[in-house]
Amino acid sequence: HFYMLNDYDVRDIQKGEITTLKDSLSGVSIKTRKNILRALQGFFRWMYERGTITAIPLFPEVKGDDSKQRQAIDFELQDKALETIPGEYRDPIEFLYETGLRPAEACALLVKHIDIHNRLMLVERTYVKGNKIKESTKQKKKRIMPLSDRAVEIASKHLIDKHPHQFLFINPRTGKGLLPKVLWYQWHKYSNLDVCLYEGTRHSFGSQLIQNNDVTHVQAL
């Protein structure tokens, strides 16, 4: 997106040039436009900290909001959806129900990340770009999370006869670690709901918890 700035010395780029860039992005969503300019602003902040530039240029404001409002579903709808999912993929999806993990985080879990005795799991990595493991999470920090009774049952079943560095969830068709896109596909094809996998699991997890818990507790989970 920044090709029109290629011929500029970074020290000469000011609000006018950035505004021209912003105006060229009319074909993308408002949310994407904001993210693009936020990334560019981060780049200028980095150059300022290195001493490459002496001031960070002013940035034009991107007004409006066209982001989609996320939907949540209740326990009953989750159970109905789970019944329609092919049996071999129900456990990892129900595990998402119970933990609120992002699909990419759950698929990246290894056996060693599960502490059945203390009913805890360590979340320290995730999938990025579809099938590549990143040795940190989206928030770039490790976190220890509790496991519910049902999450312990599911994890225990998938720990059997595995060494510590094996994936917790295995794709039954390939014998390899389960990829997030497989869960997204199974949910989209079989759930019979107009909510995506993220909404039906992680977003619903938070929405259900907030009904009976303090918001800071839910945020931590």
Side-chain angles (χ1 to χ4, degrees):
H1 296 289
F2 307 132
Y3 66 91
M4 64 175 54
L5 302 178
N6 285 351
D7 294 331
Y8 286 90
D9 185 313
V10 292
R11 294 168 294 186
D12 297 332
I13 297 175
Q14 298 299 321
K15 184 177 180 180
E17 289 73 35
I18 300 171
T19 300
T20 300
L21 169 65
K22 184 201 78 168
D23 294 342
S24 75
L25 300 173
S26 57
V28 300
S29 69
I30 293 174
K31 181 180 179 181
T32 300
R33 271 178 267 172
K34 289 181 178 179
N35 286 338
I36 290 169
L37 290 187
R38 194 174 296 120
L40 185 61
Q41 195 167 25
F43 174 63
F44 276 104
R45 190 178 304 114
W46 174 77
M47 288 193 296
Y48 176 74
E49 291 170 354
R50 289 173 61 91
T52 305
I53 58 177
T54 57
I56 300 173
L58 294 174
F59 271 67
E61 181 182 0
V62 179
K63 297 181 179 180
D65 184 4
D66 58 0
S67 58
K68 178 186 175 184
Q69 182 68 35
R70 290 200 180 275
Q71 302 179 66
I73 58 177
D74 57 24
F75 295 113
E76 184 177 357
L77 273 179
Q78 283 183 320
D79 287 343
K80 287 183 178 179
L82 197 63
E83 291 174 1
T84 67
I85 302 294
E88 61 266 38
Y89 298 105
R90 289 180 189 172
D91 279 356
I93 289 178
E94 190 174 4
F95 194 78
L96 297 178
Y97 287 176
E98 294 292 324
T99 61
L101 286 182
R102 297 177 178 89
E105 293 173 337
C107 289
L109 285 173
L110 300 176
V111 169
K112 69 175 184 176
H113 294 138
I114 305 297
D115 182 350
I116 290 295
H117 178 73
N118 293 305
R119 304 168 62 87
L120 298 171
M121 66 176 169
L122 173 64
V123 183
E124 63 175 354
R125 60 189 213 150
T126 188
Y127 273 99
V128 294
K129 297 181 180 179
N131 60 357
K132 294 183 179 180
I133 291 287
K134 178 182 178 182
E135 297 297 335
S136 66
T137 63
K138 184 176 180 180
Q139 304 300 328
K140 295 182 175 58
K141 58 183 178 182
K142 301 178 182 180
R143 63 189 192 277
I144 296 176
M145 297 181 61
L147 294 172
S148 67
D149 291 343
R150 180 57 184 148
V152 168
E153 290 178 10
I154 294 171
S156 297
K157 181 167 69 171
H158 289 267
L159 291 174
I160 297 174
D161 296 329
K162 290 181 181 175
H163 61 70
H165 291 280
Q166 278 188 281
F167 284 100
L168 179 65
F169 295 114
I170 301 296
N171 188 330
R173 297 185 181 181
T174 65
K176 299 179 180 180
L178 190 61
L179 295 176
K181 65 181 180 182
V182 175
L183 292 184
W184 281 85
Y185 173 79
Q186 296 296 324
W187 179 271
H188 176 73
K189 184 174 182 178
Y190 296 106
S191 72
N192 298 320
L193 296 176
D194 62 352
V195 298
C196 69
L197 177 64
Y198 184 96
E199 293 172 315
T201 57
R202 181 175 172 83
H203 186 67
S204 295
F205 173 86
S207 298
Q208 293 161 3
L209 277 183
I210 202 67
Q211 297 174 16
N212 299 305
N213 293 275
D214 180 79
V215 64
T216 54
H217 174 66
V218 178
Q219 184 181 26
L221 289 174

